[in-house]
Amino acid sequence: MGCSCCRLVFSLLLAAALACRAAALWPWPQYIRTSHRRYTLYPNIFQFRYHAGSAAQAGCAVLDEAFQRYRKLLFGSGSWPRPSFPGKRFVLGKEMLVVSVATAECDEYPTLESAENYNLTINDDKCLLLSDTVWGALRGLETFSQLVWKSAEGTFFVNKTRIRDFPRFPHRGLLLDTSRHYLPLSSILDTLDVMAYNKFNVFHWHLVDDPSFPYESFTYPQLSRKGSYNPATHVYTAQDVKEIIEYARLRGIRVLAEFDTPGHTLSWGPGVPGLLTPCYSGSQPSGTFGPVNPSLNSTYEFMSTFFLEISAVFPDFYLHLGGDEVDFTCWYESNPGIQDFMKKKGFNDFKELESFYIHTLLDIVSAYDKGYVVWQEVFDNKVKVRPDTVIQVWRETVPVDYMKEMEKITQAGFRALLSAPWYLNHITYGPDWNDMYKVEPLAFDGTPEQEALVIGGEACMWGEYVDSTNLVPRLWPRAGAVAERLWSSNLTNNLGFAYERLSHFRCELLRRGVQAQPINVGYCEQEFEQT
Ligand SMILES: *[C@@H]1O[C@H](CO)[C@@H](O)[C@H](O)[C@H]1NC(C)=O
Ligand SMILES: *[C@@H]1O[C@H](CO)[C@@H](O)[C@H](O)[C@H]1NC(C)=O
Ligand SMILES: *[C@@H]1O[C@H](CO)[C@@H](O)[C@H](O)[C@H]1NC(C)=O
Ligand SMILES: *[C@@H]1O[C@H](CO)[C@@H](O)[C@H](O)[C@H]1NC(C)=O
């Protein structure tokens, strides 16, 4: 059968899915028609080429480099003998994929507003990828690479196919935590590659936290000198950060940097004396420290200078300012400076004090022409924030069920990101990807206007028990469940169909050199066939 209108057929009938197994795309496109008519690709001849009418032409780094990457992914880096094909048979071959984009933002960064739609047409007349932007072309190239298959004899084919595709949500993120454990540069770059295979488009970099401060600041070098695990080896230099941002850009991925305050900041303390609140035991300082001290002017002077640097280093419009899990004990337990400040300001509880700090910080960052994302506590504690603030939902049931929280946030008119059901660091026995897959981000009581405020979500990999030894198999293919939920139509929700394709995709990841863990009993045809 021709498998036309696959989306509809598949959500109704698993049998149809099995018949169409070769089109094992991940994530599944919005509209696809594919058939059994196949075209041969000769590795020695095949090329990616710019359409004469394309706004981007040779010299566009984003696409030039993508062409090279996908060539290598498809055929490996070896050389191929020239095929001896009789002219007639080549009618059913394809010499090139022609790429045409409407605008050429080759030197720019992708943004929340960037279009990622593309059309891919492979038939007797053409092999053509059309998109509005280079970012859409990147998504289409990935899809094309997943359409190509190899016969038992080793011949490459692509079937007659028509795809019209676009993401359901514009913010599809993956969080890595480089504070609980340091992740080497190569782990981050490799993750960006696999993110692109999954059409993720935001790398949420939770750079620093209580345990370590690996970001090398040029205005405050003592931060990492005193706060990292090892200032020679376990830091991200300015050069590393630049490399990560550019590597991400070339894959259509934004880098959303998070510097979480006022809690989760113990590692900031040694480098900036006076920044953290000294905790008291009775009338004496106990020698331990709490959150950033909100009662001192010097705190805000420090934050102004520090975030001026951060705003310049990270080109994305958005910064993540954290704001989660502020522990009030140290403020509460009679630090006299805090008490005086509260009295002077007329604050009755510590939420007001927290609110004062965060509000002041948000003003500082806004003045640098940045937008910001914060964790849900900022909303829950009723901090006054700008109306264009993005709120990230991470708590499963506190103070309410996460879907109720999505409802409340959007009801208040704020944009929301969902993460609560997508904590990849939580592991259990068995295939847990399907619980993540079944989540429907809009399953709350809300108007269409509220639904439109859900800009996407993020899979989170917190680092307490994760470093470069186990990062890759714990991420992949599980994070793929979130990637498809955020890219594909809400009707693409059949677990059996997803299982078939995710198993296949996991094998494809192995072929691409990614040590993705199995999701089932079985084996991969390509397991030992790395090109
Ligand atoms: C591609 O075509 C081949 C036969 O030419 C067929 O076996 C395979 O199932 C097709 N794949 C898809 C996705 O239609
Ligand atoms: C893709 O195809 C659709 C429907 O034919 C068309 O409306 C749309 O403009 C095309 N998109 C691009 C980027 O060419
Ligand atoms: C802190 O700054 C405020 C406003 O600029 C000022 O009124 C206050 O006196 C300053 N406090 C100290 C201790 O310098
Ligand atoms: C999918 O979205 C459409 C349009 O928003 C909606 O009418 C439909 O109920 C949703 N279906 C599911 C299964 O969520």
Side-chain angles (χ1 to χ4, degrees):
M1 67 165 272
C3 270
S4 36
C5 287
C6 279
R7 197 177 93 186
L8 190 62
V9 173
F10 287 143
S11 57
L12 298 174
L13 204 64
L14 182 57
L18 296 172
C20 230
R21 204 159 56 176
L25 300 174
W26 194 275
W28 191 245
Q30 301 282 348
Y31 300 96
I32 174 168
R33 271 177 100 93
T34 176
S35 88
H36 281 200
R37 189 164 174 82
R38 64 184 196 186
Y39 308 101
T40 309
L41 302 181
Y42 298 98
N44 199 27
I45 291 181
F46 183 83
Q47 46 178 291
F48 296 100
R49 189 181 285 181
Y50 292 95
H51 188 273
S54 168
Q57 292 292 338
C60 175
V62 173
L63 291 182
D64 283 356
E65 296 198 19
F67 292 171
Q68 283 184 31
R69 283 199 307 277
Y70 281 107
R71 222 201 121 67
K72 202 165 154 212
L73 276 179
L74 283 173
F75 309 123
S77 43
S79 63
W80 296 84
R82 254 192 181 279
S84 53
F85 51 84
K88 184 113 174 32
R89 251 187 63 202
F90 200 63
V91 172
L92 281 184
K94 289 292 174 197
E95 290 175 71
M96 63 186 77
L97 174 69
V98 177
V99 178
S100 184
V101 303
T103 58
E105 55 285 78
C106 299
D107 302 318
E108 293 170 22
Y109 292 94
T111 68
L112 176 62
E113 291 77 30
S114 295
E116 295 174 282
N117 58 308
Y118 68 91
N119 293 351
L120 185 58
T121 310
I122 302 157
N123 60 26
D124 288 8
D125 300 329
K126 43 177 116 139
C127 187
L128 179 65
L129 172 61
L130 290 178
S131 66
D132 287 337
T133 65
V134 294
W135 320 118
L138 291 176
R139 306 298 169 239
L141 286 167
E142 175 56 41
T143 301
F144 178 79
S145 77
Q146 294 186 18
L147 285 173
V148 173
W149 55 283
K150 198 171 163 187
S151 69
E153 296 75 39
T155 309
F156 292 96
F157 295 103
V158 65
N159 288 22
K160 182 175 171 178
T161 304
R162 229 179 70 199
I163 289 174
R164 185 158 76 82
D165 201 10
F166 49 86
R168 182 177 175 206
F169 295 105
H171 184 124
R172 305 179 306 282
L174 175 64
L175 176 149
L176 293 184
D177 167 6
T178 55
S179 175
R180 271 69 181 224
H181 283 94
Y182 177 79
L183 292 172
L185 183 62
S186 60
S187 284
I188 296 178
L189 300 181
D190 290 349
T191 301
L192 290 166
D193 274 316
V194 194
M195 284 175 68
Y197 304 159
N198 284 272
K199 296 186 169 72
F200 274 116
N201 67 354
V202 179
F203 167 41
H204 177 165
W205 189 0
H206 186 86
L207 267 147
V208 302
D209 207 296
D210 287 326
S212 79
F213 196 106
Y215 172 78
E216 217 173 69
S217 161
F218 49 86
T219 34
Y220 295 100
Q222 295 300 329
L223 278 166
S224 61
R225 224 167 270 161
K226 301 219 165 125
S228 65
Y229 286 131
N230 180 327
T233 53
H234 287 49
V235 290
Y236 302 103
T237 64
Q239 190 50 41
D240 294 338
V241 171
K242 259 201 177 126
E243 190 173 338
I244 286 167
I245 293 169
E246 179 62 5
Y247 200 88
R249 184 185 84 83
L250 290 170
R251 287 152 184 79
I253 296 172
R254 298 163 48 207
V255 177
L256 174 62
E258 177 178 358
F259 287 87
D260 191 358
T261 68
H264 291 276
T265 45
L266 287 183
S267 68
W268 302 49
V272 189
L275 181 66
L276 302 183
T277 313
C279 308
Y280 274 65
S281 158
S283 59
Q284 294 300 313
S286 67
T288 61
F289 292 91
V292 163
N293 191 336
S295 70
L296 301 178
N297 286 355
S298 56
T299 291
Y300 302 102
E301 283 155 20
F302 165 81
M303 291 297 168
S304 296
T305 314
F306 181 71
F307 277 102
L308 181 63
E309 168 183 334
I310 298 308
S311 302
V313 166
F314 292 92
D316 199 81
F317 177 65
Y318 291 92
L319 287 175
H320 201 302
L321 298 177
D324 59 318
E325 296 184 299
V326 183
D327 182 356
F328 295 146
T329 353
C330 178
W331 288 349
Y332 181 75
E333 280 174 354
S334 70
N335 174 314
I338 298 281
Q339 306 294 327
D340 291 349
F341 187 73
M342 300 261 301
K343 224 175 276 158
K344 212 169 80 198
K345 290 276 175 194
F347 295 157
N348 295 315
D349 73 30
F350 292 96
K351 283 186 184 175
E352 285 180 85
L353 181 59
E354 177 195 23
S355 180
F356 173 81
Y357 168 80
I358 293 180
H359 187 74
T360 312
L361 178 67
L362 298 187
D363 280 348
I364 290 170
V365 172
S366 301
Y368 300 145
D369 286 330
K370 289 281 182 180
Y372 41 76
V373 185
V374 290
W375 296 109
Q376 73 177 77
E377 284 92 328
V378 173
F379 172 79
D380 295 339
N381 293 347
K382 305 192 170 52
V383 177
K384 260 239 245 56
V385 295
R386 250 175 24 191
D388 60 351
T389 304
V390 178
I391 317 271
Q392 186 164 9
V393 173
W394 72 277
R395 309 197 70 162
E396 287 204 80
T397 54
V398 181
V400 290
D401 175 76
Y402 66 82
M403 273 303 162
K404 188 78 190 162
E405 180 83 4
M406 295 293 281
E407 182 187 324
K408 289 172 64 178
I409 289 169
T410 54
Q411 205 164 37
F414 293 111
R415 287 173 297 167
L417 284 172
L418 182 61
S419 283
W422 292 327
Y423 268 34
L424 298 166
N425 49 298
H426 292 172
I427 50 173
T428 53
Y429 185 76
D432 60 353
W433 65 271
N434 47 22
D435 289 332
M436 294 187 253
Y437 187 78
K438 282 188 292 198
V439 172
E440 167 47 55
L442 301 186
F444 57 84
D445 250 340
T447 61
E449 290 73 28
Q450 275 175 264
E451 292 183 353
L453 289 169
V454 178
I455 59 173
E458 293 186 352
C460 299
M461 182 62 89
W462 296 101
E464 285 86 351
Y465 304 98
V466 177
D467 68 6
S468 63
T469 62
N470 58 354
L471 176 69
V472 177
R474 196 161 290 191
L475 272 178
W476 313 112
R478 293 163 76 233
V482 183
E484 175 154 300
R485 182 53 53 238
L486 294 173
W487 177 279
S488 305
S489 155
N490 68 340
L491 301 174
T492 303
N493 58 7
N494 181 302
L495 270 181
F497 180 44
Y499 170 79
E500 283 293 320
R501 288 178 298 112
L502 193 59
S503 305
H504 187 286
F505 183 58
R506 184 256 168 173
C507 292
E508 174 63 12
L509 290 179
L510 287 191
R511 195 191 67 80
R512 293 184 183 196
V514 181
Q515 299 299 301
Q517 72 180 7
I519 61 164
N520 56 345
V521 175
Y523 76 110
C524 292
E525 297 284 355
Q526 316 99 310
E527 214 151 342
F528 304 107
E529 198 202 301
Q530 294 201 3
T531 45

